[in-house]
Amino acid sequence: MQLHWLDISVFVLFFLIVVSVSMYKSRREKTGEDFFLASRGLVWPLIGFSLIAANISTEHFVGMSGQGAGVMGMAVASYEWMAAITLVFVALFFLPKFLRSGIYTIPEYLEYRYHPVARSIMAFYLVIVYIAVSISAVVYTGALALHTIFDMDLVKSVWLIGFIAAVYTTWGGLKAVAWADLFQGSGLLFGGLVTMILGFRAVGGIGEFFSANEAKLHMILPADHPVIPWTALVVGLWIPNFYYWGLNQFITQRTLAARSVKQGQLGIIFSAFLKLTIPFIIIFPGIMSFQLFKDQLTAPGATTDQAYPLLIRNLVGPGLRGFILAAISGAVISTLSSLLNSVATILTMDLYRRHIKKDASGESLVKMGRYMTVVFVLAVCLIAPHLGNPKFKGIFNYIQEFQGYISPGVLAAFVFGLFIKRTPPAAGIASLILCVPVYGFLQWQFGQVAFLNRMAITFLFLVLVMAIITALKPLRKPKVLPVKTDFDVRSSPSVKWLGGFVIVITLALYILFW
């Protein structure tokens, strides 16, 4: 499909505004705290939009929308709606502890709670998973969208996306990313809303959509469903949710940069409310695309991952198409730049400063972060084109499956250590180390079992191991965590009320789409 001049104009104008504002706002980043944590000055609207923009990418527009069009239907919305509940708990219980300790990274917290070895293990895991899975998947799905909609060469699209993201990530760090997210998160929600409305018009209206797709509009699926059985909602799905939203560096980094505990909490609750809207602007269009273009999506060589791009290609006109393309591209680049900034933070703060140059100055840390960002972009652009291999069973499955190698172990170490004060360092380290072979064994021997159920089994086994180690050799006295004294740690009663409101809406949506 050829781009109209109006599409190109809107696309270029959008990115000129985004890049210019983000670079201007981050022009004075000199210290490690400036570059990696935006000088700890983010307020709740920036945090909320940044969380959504960082999270929503072509992983969703391609992968999640494709799953909605395929075997999962509306049930894939559990990743979004259960995330809303998870975010409320993160705001109330996780965030205050992290902010009071003044940490830069999540692995750093493990050093204070357990031992420096625990910090290094988690940092190493995150660097590998971010490069080989998370960042590569974002770049691949973004390139696939450009390839499907505009017939751009896949490899060239990969390098284009990587180059744009690297420019303002290396320039201004997290503050540049957060300001870009404000624009791109807003554009993303608006563009998705417009696409959904056009989809409703194309299928004959809301009533016709619900009537024709009744079988795909259920949240609860049979226990033998191959991807998301209802049993996975009991334990399995909570594991990647709590890991992703509470312990995942590239998400939590913008909350660690909050001006105060209250601003961080309000930002998280705001993002939880926005999460409730995502299934309507991403999964609904995927189902509509299957209704309209079933023959194309089921043709030999085709995949349901092409559902959303097909909808844009066939329903959206010039000008508006350029804006939606800019919003989707912005979502890709927001997520990519957030991931790049976070993996650079981990490598610089948890590995470089901790083990290589302990007396590194603030400016040298910023330089190292920028150098590493460029190196990571080059590595990712070499990996991404290979992720379309059919053996991965779709990009959404690829991401979730490989996260299982670390998320149960990290979550078990954090949660057990959070509630059981006398948990010894050996227990936390054991959880992190054993997760890889335990999950790998389950995938090897029980690959036919839904990966969420395998995550649940791994998590429960690791909790049992930690309980045994703690019972045999508990700490004599609980660890004392550091406290950042020059930081506003006051919360607000409104956080609890707003969080409760989000949970009530989420439960109502489950009842509506049961």
Side-chain angles (χ1 to χ4, degrees):
M1 182 178 67
Q2 294 295 317
L3 282 174
H4 191 275
W5 67 267
L6 192 57
D7 292 324
I8 298 174
S9 300
V10 171
F11 182 88
V12 171
L13 179 62
F14 183 89
F15 272 101
L16 281 176
I17 293 173
V18 169
V19 174
S20 298
V21 172
S22 63
M23 286 186 170
Y24 174 77
K25 289 291 185 179
S26 60
R27 65 193 183 281
R28 297 193 181 105
E29 310 305 83
K30 295 180 180 179
T31 69
E33 189 169 67
D34 290 339
F35 188 80
F36 296 119
L37 290 181
S39 308
R40 296 192 192 268
L42 298 187
V43 293
W44 70 265
L46 274 176
I47 294 170
F49 272 117
S50 189
L51 284 170
I52 293 301
N55 167 239
I56 304 300
S57 180
T58 39
E59 169 194 339
H60 290 73
F61 284 103
V62 173
M64 181 172 284
S65 186
Q67 291 292 325
V71 297
M72 294 175 70
M74 193 63 182
V76 74
S78 282
Y79 281 94
E80 304 302 303
W81 289 346
M82 288 177 70
I85 298 176
T86 302
L87 280 164
V88 173
F89 281 90
V90 169
L92 295 177
F93 301 109
F94 284 29
L95 183 65
K97 294 183 182 297
F98 293 157
L99 290 179
R100 286 191 187 103
S101 65
I103 59 174
Y104 278 79
T105 69
I106 296 299
E108 185 180 354
Y109 184 84
L110 283 182
E111 177 177 356
Y112 298 142
R113 179 58 187 85
Y114 291 116
H115 189 274
V117 170
R119 176 180 183 175
S120 298
I121 292 172
M122 183 178 177
F124 175 75
Y125 281 171
L126 289 180
V127 170
I128 297 299
V129 169
Y130 280 174
I131 294 173
V133 181
S134 303
I135 305 177
S136 298
V138 169
V139 172
Y140 167 74
T141 52
L144 180 62
L146 294 179
H147 173 70
T148 302
I149 300 171
F150 301 106
D151 299 320
M152 290 180 63
D153 180 76
L154 186 67
V155 176
K156 290 180 180 177
S157 299
V158 163
W159 286 95
L160 174 65
I161 290 169
F163 172 76
I164 295 175
V167 169
Y168 67 77
T169 306
T170 55
W171 170 273
L174 184 61
K175 189 179 289 184
V177 171
W179 276 98
D181 286 349
L182 179 63
F183 289 95
Q184 290 167 168
S186 303
L188 178 70
L189 295 173
F190 178 75
L193 177 64
V194 170
T195 304
M196 181 187 70
I197 293 171
L198 293 175
F200 275 132
R201 288 178 57 186
V203 300
I206 296 175
E208 181 62 28
F209 169 75
F210 276 86
S211 175
N213 298 288
E214 194 277 335
K216 286 184 175 288
L217 296 175
H218 294 287
M219 298 295 299
I220 307 302
L221 298 179
D224 60 351
H225 192 273
V227 182
I228 188 167
W230 70 263
T231 53
L233 304 183
V234 179
V235 178
L237 193 52
W238 294 105
I239 295 169
N241 260 314
F242 271 105
Y243 162 75
Y244 184 91
W245 291 104
L247 307 173
N248 186 1
Q249 180 67 29
F250 107 93
I251 288 294
T252 57
Q253 191 155 336
R254 56 254 311 123
T255 63
L256 296 178
R259 180 177 294 174
S260 65
V261 168
K262 179 182 177 181
Q263 290 295 319
Q265 289 178 318
L266 289 175
I268 293 176
I269 298 298
F270 178 45
S271 69
F273 178 77
L274 293 177
K275 286 295 283 182
L276 298 178
T277 68
I278 301 304
F280 300 110
I281 64 174
I282 291 180
I283 301 172
F284 270 23
I287 297 173
M288 293 169 185
S289 184
F290 190 81
Q291 181 180 347
L292 294 168
F293 312 115
K294 181 178 179 179
D295 291 342
Q296 295 181 56
L297 292 173
T298 56
T303 169
T304 54
D305 282 347
Q306 296 172 308
Y308 202 98
L310 269 176
L311 204 65
I312 295 175
R313 179 169 184 156
N314 288 280
L315 300 187
V316 182
L320 183 57
R321 184 168 53 220
F323 178 82
I324 292 175
L325 173 62
I328 293 177
S329 300
V332 176
I333 294 166
S334 283
T335 303
L336 179 56
S337 58
S338 298
L339 282 162
L340 287 170
N341 183 255
S342 295
V343 74
T345 303
I346 291 170
L347 190 141
T348 303
M349 305 303 291
D350 290 316
L351 298 176
Y352 175 73
R353 191 177 72 168
R354 191 74 181 79
H355 300 287
I356 299 174
K357 194 171 183 180
K358 296 181 180 181
D359 60 345
S361 66
E363 290 189 4
S364 68
L365 291 175
V366 172
K367 287 181 181 179
M368 176 57 64
R370 286 175 171 154
Y371 292 151
M372 286 300 98
T373 299
V374 174
V375 171
F376 294 147
V377 168
L378 294 175
V380 163
C381 289
L382 293 173
I383 295 171
H386 303 287
L387 299 189
N389 194 313
K391 70 180 181 181
F392 295 131
K393 301 177 182 179
I395 196 65
F396 190 79
N397 183 75
Y398 171 79
I399 295 167
Q400 300 301 325
E401 185 74 76
F402 282 92
Q403 291 284 8
Y405 281 93
I406 66 168
S407 57
V410 171
L411 184 62
F414 270 91
V415 173
F416 199 92
L418 191 66
F419 292 103
I420 310 300
K421 303 299 183 183
R422 296 186 181 275
T423 305
I429 294 171
S431 178
L432 294 171
I433 293 177
L434 289 175
C435 185
V436 173
V438 171
Y439 186 82
F441 173 79
L442 292 175
Q443 184 182 17
W444 173 44
Q445 290 294 321
F446 305 97
Q448 73 282 5
V449 176
F451 64 83
L452 289 171
N453 286 337
R454 282 184 269 122
M455 280 188 185
I457 295 169
T458 303
F459 176 77
L460 294 174
F461 175 79
L462 295 175
V463 168
L464 177 62
V465 170
M466 292 186 71
I468 293 172
I469 294 174
T470 302
L472 294 175
K473 197 173 183 180
L475 284 174
R476 292 183 178 180
K477 58 181 181 179
K479 288 263 188 175
V480 178
L481 301 179
V483 176
K484 187 175 175 62
T485 56
D486 59 340
F487 189 77
D488 185 359
V489 297
R490 292 173 296 175
S491 185
S492 170
S494 62
V495 172
K496 294 180 180 179
W497 288 103
L498 292 170
F501 180 66
V502 168
I503 292 174
V504 169
I505 296 177
T506 307
L507 296 177
L509 288 170
Y510 264 95
I511 293 171
L512 181 63
F513 288 95
W514 186 270

